[in-house]
Amino acid sequence: MPEDPKPKPKIDLNRREMPKQEEHIRSHNFLEVALGYTSELAMAEARRCLQCKKPFCVSDCPVQIKIPEFIQAIADGDFAAGSRILKERNSLPSVCGRVCPQEEQCEKHCSLSKRGGTIAIGRLERFLGDWEGAQSEMALPEAVHPTGKKVAIIGGGPAGLTAAADLIKAGHQVVIYEALHKMGGVLYYGIPEFRLPKTIVDREVDYLRRLGVEMHTDFVVGKTRSMDSLLEDFDAVFVATGAGLPWFMEMPGNNFNGVYSANEYLTRINLMKGYTYPRNDTPIKRHKKVAVLGGGNVAMDCARTALRLGAEATIVYRRSRTELPARLEEIENAEEEGVQFRYLTLPVRTIGDDRFNVTALECLKMELGEPDASGRRSPVPVPGSEFILPFDSVIHAIGNSPNPLIPQTTPGLTIGKKGNVVIDSETGKTSKERVWAGGDIATGAATVISAMGAARKAASSIHEFLMS
Amino acid sequence: MVKILENKMIVPNICTITVFAPEIAQSVKAGQFVILRVEEDGERIPLTVSDWDVEQGTITLVYLLVGKTTQRLATFTANDTLATVVGPLGNAMEIDRFGKVICIGGCYGIASIYPIAKALKEKGNQVTIIVEARSSYLLFWQKKLKSVSDQLIVITRDGSQGMPGHIGKLQTILAAPGTPPDRVIVNGCNYLMMRAAQETSPMNIKTIVSLNTLMIDGTGMCGVCRVTVNSSTKFACVDGPHFDAHEVDWDELTQRRKAYLSEESQTMRSSQAQ
C-alpha cells in the first residue's frame, strides 16, 4: 500500500452553528434572523470538509457549483479566490446561501452526513457572498469580446437574473424587462426582509448591472410591448415570468376583508415596505389573530411576518408536522418565535360580519389515511367534527399558478394544462422560434435554485443557438 | 422615471395629468389602465388612460383627489418626474358594431368614457353619451365628448345644466320613444355603475361596467382586486376591469373598496398635519 504523504486528518463532526438573533427579540423586528458566520467560524467549518475526490455535493447542486474548491479557499483564508470560484457558477451567492434548500441538495449526500456532521455548505456560500459584498469594490470577471447578439429577458427574478449573468459573460447584449418597480421578482416581493434583506438583492442586481446588463423596470411584456415586437429587435427571448397567479382554497368567504393571498400579504410588506406604514404609503391592517393556510415556506414567511406585526399567528395545516413541506429550519424558526400550529385541521369556510370583515374560520378535524401519490399520508376528514376558530385575518399560502400575461398575449407559444409554458426540459426551448423559458413559468411554483438551474440550461442553449 | 408634461386641476377636486410614455401611448386601447407611483415610498394606484397621442408619445390620466397619494400627485408640475407609470394593463373594452350604444360617465368616468365612445363611434355605432355631476361647475371635456358622440345628455343634481336629478333619470331616457340601446357602458364611481345597472336590468340591456378596485401590481400577482361576477371570483386586473354589470356582486364590491378606509383617513390626517 502506498504511503499517505500527509497524516490522516482527524474527522471533525462539529458542524458550526450560525449565530442567530434571539427568538424573543427577533419576533418583534424585521432584521435578519440568521447573523452569518464570522471569518473564524467559516474557516473552522471549511476545514472540516474532507475534499472528496468524487464530490456528491456538486452533482446534487442544480447549478453545479465547484463546492470543494470554494470551501478549500475558505479554509486557506483566501476569500477572494473562493468568491471567484463560487461566482463562476452562481451569480447570486448571498441569495442562494440563504434561501436554497441545501438539506435537499448539496448537503444531502455530503460524506459526513451519515455521521451527523454534514458540512454547512449553504452557510459557507452565504459567508463568501456577504464577504465579497462587504468589500469596497466587487471584482468583475474579465470582459469578453462582444458577439453582437441581443437577448431579451422577460422577468427580473432568480431565473431571469441567472440567465442574464450567463449570457452577458458569454459576450451577448442582455436586456431585462421587469413588470414591477424593483428588480428581483420573488426575492423582492415574496421573501421577507428577515430572511433575505433587500439590500442583498439590490447588491446582487447591481453586480449584474455593472457587468453590463440593461434593466427596464415598470415594463410588462405582453402589455407594454408584445413578444413578437421584441423578437424584431432581439435575436432570442428568455421568458422567466414566474408563478404569479395566487390560489385560494375553494371554500366560501374568500372575499371578506382580511382575507389575503400570500402574494398580496407579502407584497404589501416586502415590496411596498408596509411594515414601515405610515412612513411608506401602502397601508396595512394591524390584525390581532391571523390564520395562515398552508404548510410550505411561504406559509412560514406569512406567519412569521404577521407575528412581527404584533399578531398572534397560527398555521392551519390539514396534515401533521412530518408532512409539512417547509424547510425544517423555517419550521423551527417559526416554532421558536411563537407561531402556533394547528395540525390535522381543514378550513372549510371563512366567516365574516355584516361589515364584511373576517371574524372566524370554520374547520374540520382530519386523520391521516393511506399514503398518496406524493408518498405523504393523505388526510381524511372526520365526519361531524366541524369547529370554529376566531380570527380577524386569513392568509391563503397554498401556491401559485404560472403568470398568465405572456401565455395570454403570445401567439405560437404552447401552453400546458396548468397554464405553464411548455419547454424542452434539457434546453428550455419553447414551441416558438427563438423563444426559451424557464423557472416557475414552465414548472409551476418551485424553488429559487431550481429556477436558476433551468435558467442556466436555457442560457447555454441560447448561447449555442446564437453562436451557430 | 416618467416625465410630467402637464398637471392641472380642471374642476374642483379633479385633475388631469399628461405624461411622456411613448411605449404606453403606442399600445394602449380604450378601457385600459396604468399603475402609477408618485415617489419612491409611494403606493401603487390604478388610473384609467383617458386620452393619448401616439405621435407626441403622451398619455393623459384624470384623477380625483381622494387620499394622500392623489393629493401629493396634485402638487407635481410640468418637468417633475413620477417614480412609476406602468401599463397599459387590463383588457381593452370590447369594441364592435353593436348599433346603438349609450356611454355613461360620472366623476373621473366623464374622462375615461371618452376613448370608449370615440372607439365605438369610429366603429360606426350610434353613440349617446350621458354625463352626470352634482352641478354644472363639476363638468368638463364636454366639447371632446360631443365630438365623439351623436348626442350628449347632461344630468346635474341641482339642475344647473341639462336634466335635473341623478342617474335614476336613465329610466326616463330609456323609456323615450324609439328603439332601446343595444348596449350601455358605464364608467364612474361604484354607486353610479350599480344604479345604472339597476335601470337597464329590467329591460335586459347588456350593460358593461369598468370596475375600479384596489390594486397593487395590476398583473394578476396579488389578487386584492377580487370581485364576484356571476358567482365566481375574478381578478379585475387580468380578467377585467370590464364586466357585465348585471352579474357583478355590488355589495361585496362596495365593502371591499372600503377595506382601508380608516388607514387612508389616518394617512391623510398625518400628511396634512405635516
Side-chain angles (χ1 to χ4, degrees):
Chain A
M1 238 170 81
E3 260 189 25
D4 195 341
K6 280 184 283 183
K8 207 168 183 181
K10 197 167 154 252
I11 291 180
D12 175 358
L13 291 174
N14 173 21
R15 180 176 158 111
R16 302 299 195 274
E17 283 308 318
M18 181 164 55
K20 288 202 271 190
Q21 271 197 76
E22 277 185 60
E23 52 259 32
H24 66 278
I25 295 171
R26 70 177 195 247
S27 59
H28 300 288
N29 68 53
F30 275 84
L31 302 176
E32 192 172 18
V33 167
L35 301 171
Y37 278 153
T38 57
S39 304
E40 293 71 28
L41 273 170
M43 287 169 74
E45 181 65 16
R47 286 196 195 105
R48 299 200 302 114
C49 176
L50 300 182
Q51 293 291 321
C52 306
K53 292 275 183 299
K54 276 189 189 163
F56 291 112
C57 50
V58 179
S59 48
D60 284 339
C61 170
V63 296
Q64 310 274 296
I65 294 171
K66 295 175 182 164
I67 295 169
E69 283 93 328
F70 88 70
I71 291 185
Q72 187 59 56
I74 298 177
D76 297 341
D78 190 350
F79 304 144
S83 205
R84 267 198 308 279
I85 298 165
L86 187 53
K87 282 210 158 165
E88 271 175 38
R89 298 289 169 93
N90 185 350
S91 302
L92 313 171
S94 288
V95 170
C96 290
R98 286 171 169 82
V99 304
C100 267
Q102 289 98 10
E103 65 283 2
E104 299 289 331
Q105 300 174 347
C106 52
E107 294 180 11
K108 192 174 185 180
H109 292 120
C110 170
S111 301
L112 291 177
S113 69
K114 278 196 195 113
R115 304 174 63 175
T118 309
I119 300 291
I121 301 169
R123 294 172 186 172
L124 292 171
E125 178 183 32
R126 167 188 165 144
F127 167 79
L128 275 187
D130 288 1
W131 176 85
E132 200 194 16
Q135 307 309 302
S136 55
E137 190 83 350
M138 267 160 104
L140 292 177
E142 269 178 55
V144 284
H145 191 70
T147 62
K149 303 285 184 182
K150 285 177 77 175
V151 185
I153 293 180
I154 310 177
L161 295 173
T162 302
D166 283 11
L167 290 163
I168 198 123
K169 285 185 207 159
H172 309 299
Q173 193 184 333
V174 180
V175 182
I176 305 182
Y177 295 98
E178 162 59 45
L180 291 172
H181 58 265
K182 283 281 185 187
M183 296 294 297
V186 72
L187 306 175
Y188 216 101
Y189 73 75
I191 302 177
E193 181 76 17
F194 56 82
R195 205 148 74 77
L196 178 63
K198 300 310 148 213
T199 48
I200 286 170
V201 181
D202 288 341
R203 193 180 76 211
E204 310 235 34
V205 167
D206 190 53
Y207 173 75
L208 295 184
R209 205 173 268 128
R210 287 179 47 220
L211 286 179
V213 176
E214 194 180 318
M215 303 180 191
H216 295 283
T217 51
D218 294 326
F219 197 108
V220 186
V221 176
K223 292 286 184 185
T224 313
R225 218 178 138 181
S226 69
M227 166 96 83
D228 284 331
S229 150
L230 280 187
L231 282 166
E232 288 170 17
D233 288 353
F234 290 89
D235 299 292
V237 172
F238 178 57
V239 182
T241 49
L245 194 73
W247 291 340
F248 289 85
M249 284 189 72
E250 282 185 32
M251 62 180 194
N254 283 347
N255 292 351
F256 284 124
N257 290 327
V259 179
Y260 306 88
S261 69
N263 276 358
E264 182 195 344
Y265 190 71
L266 294 172
T267 299
R268 276 186 189 275
I269 311 291
N270 301 332
L271 175 70
M272 306 310 296
K273 307 236 177 292
Y275 61 92
T276 68
Y277 173 81
R279 201 175 75 222
N280 278 259
D281 290 342
T282 303
I284 56 158
K285 290 272 174 199
R286 291 286 177 166
H287 296 294
K288 295 196 170 61
K289 281 174 84 74
V290 177
V292 180
L293 316 186
N297 290 323
V298 175
M300 300 303 144
D301 286 346
C302 291
R304 295 171 69 195
T305 298
L307 206 73
R308 282 161 172 76
L309 291 169
E312 197 183 294
T314 308
I315 298 262
V316 179
Y317 184 55
R318 63 198 178 116
R319 307 182 201 234
S320 67
R321 189 178 189 275
T322 354
E323 288 86 20
L324 279 174
R327 297 180 68 188
L328 186 61
E329 185 184 323
E330 302 306 328
I331 299 167
E332 286 172 353
N333 277 332
E335 287 171 340
E336 284 170 13
E337 290 165 13
V339 172
Q340 294 170 33
F341 289 77
R342 277 255 172 194
Y343 294 114
L344 294 167
T345 303
L346 177 74
V348 291
R349 179 166 72 107
T350 299
I351 301 168
D353 61 17
D354 54 356
R355 304 188 67 183
F356 234 73
N357 293 316
V358 172
T359 55
L361 197 59
E362 184 178 321
C363 303
L364 270 179
K365 286 204 175 99
M366 309 290 276
E367 5 176 79
L368 287 181
E370 295 301 310
D372 64 8
S374 71
R376 295 181 298 178
R377 292 181 65 191
S378 55
V380 188
V382 178
S385 64
E386 288 85 353
F387 64 104
I388 287 174
L389 296 169
F391 288 110
D392 61 355
S393 174
V394 175
I395 301 169
H396 292 243
I398 59 164
N400 294 285
S401 294
N403 191 290
L405 281 182
I406 293 288
Q408 275 173 5
T409 57
T410 311
L413 208 55
T414 304
I415 306 303
K417 275 194 192 128
K418 292 174 179 167
N420 55 306
V421 174
V422 175
I423 57 165
D424 176 302
S425 61
E426 280 313 301
T427 60
K429 269 190 188 144
T430 69
S431 58
K432 196 173 169 78
E433 215 178 313
R434 296 191 285 133
V435 178
W436 282 254
D440 286 1
I441 186 66
T443 56
T447 59
V448 168
I449 190 72
S450 61
M452 293 174 64
R456 162 134 313 151
K457 282 184 186 170
S460 119
S461 169
I462 291 170
H463 176 64
E464 205 174 291
F465 165 79
L466 293 176
M467 301 313 283
S468 65
Chain B
M1 298 297 253
V2 176
K3 193 174 151 192
I4 298 173
L5 300 171
E6 188 182 53
N7 189 18
K8 61 177 183 198
M9 192 174 280
I10 44 171
V11 294
N13 259 4
I14 293 183
C15 303
T16 66
I17 185 168
T18 299
V19 300
F20 185 65
E23 274 155 329
I24 301 177
Q26 186 78 43
S27 45
V28 66
K29 292 194 171 62
Q32 290 189 296
F33 62 91
V34 293
I35 296 263
L36 177 146
R37 201 169 53 111
V38 179
E39 291 163 291
E40 205 40 53
D41 297 338
E43 62 178 335
R44 296 169 64 100
I45 56 165
L47 294 172
T48 309
V49 183
S50 292
D51 202 0
W52 58 91
D53 185 326
V54 180
E55 273 165 36
Q56 301 289 314
T58 62
I59 61 168
T60 299
L61 316 166
V62 173
Y63 60 98
L64 180 68
L65 301 183
V66 282
K68 183 187 171 191
T69 300
T70 45
Q71 298 277 7
R72 180 82 186 128
L73 179 59
T75 66
F76 280 52
T77 56
N79 293 322
D80 287 343
T81 55
L82 298 173
T84 290
V85 176
V86 57
L89 300 171
N91 295 300
M93 174 66 75
E94 184 194 358
I95 301 292
D96 209 334
R97 199 157 175 172
F98 300 113
K100 202 171 153 184
V101 185
I102 294 184
C103 295
I104 304 173
C107 182
Y108 68 87
I110 294 175
S112 68
I113 205 74
Y114 166 74
I116 295 170
K118 189 176 174 208
L120 286 166
K121 184 78 187 143
E122 281 166 4
K123 197 81 183 175
N125 291 283
Q126 188 195 327
V127 178
T128 297
I129 297 177
I130 302 176
V131 290
E132 190 230 47
R134 268 204 334 274
S135 185
S136 60
Y137 71 87
L138 294 169
L139 292 165
F140 57 95
W141 280 25
Q142 290 191 62
K143 215 189 256 174
K144 282 178 85 142
L145 292 171
K146 266 186 193 146
S147 73
V148 296
S149 61
D150 297 281
Q151 188 189 10
L152 176 68
I153 299 173
V154 174
I155 306 174
T156 52
R157 297 276 171 97
D158 63 0
S160 53
Q161 190 185 331
M163 299 169 84
H166 62 63
I167 192 60
K169 284 279 177 229
L170 182 59
Q171 201 178 16
T172 326
I173 297 166
L174 292 172
T179 48
D182 299 287
R183 180 170 287 231
V184 171
I185 298 171
V186 199
N187 273 206
C189 66
N190 273 350
Y191 181 77
L192 176 87
M193 294 192 286
M194 181 180 71
R195 279 293 280 118
Q198 281 168 1
E199 299 303 334
T200 58
S201 175
M203 297 179 70
N204 237 338
I205 301 166
K206 178 94 166 170
T207 303
I208 305 293
V209 287
S210 308
L211 299 185
N212 130 51
T213 61
L214 302 182
M215 285 189 193
I216 302 178
D217 61 294
T219 63
M221 195 265 279
C222 84
V224 68
C225 62
R226 301 196 293 292
V227 288
T228 301
V229 180
N230 199 11
S231 310
S232 72
T233 295
K234 300 282 177 197
F235 286 9
C237 67
V238 287
D239 300 322
H242 318 292
F243 295 100
D244 186 326
H246 300 143
E247 296 182 342
V248 170
D249 181 338
W250 291 102
D251 289 344
E252 180 187 278
L253 186 68
T254 309
Q255 296 295 339
R256 285 186 67 77
R257 282 282 309 168
K258 291 182 189 162
Y260 289 91
L261 220 54
S262 60
E263 285 78 9
E264 278 162 13
S265 58
Q266 184 203 332
T267 317
M268 272 296 278
R269 278 198 304 276
S270 63
S271 75
Q272 281 169 348
Q274 279 163 14

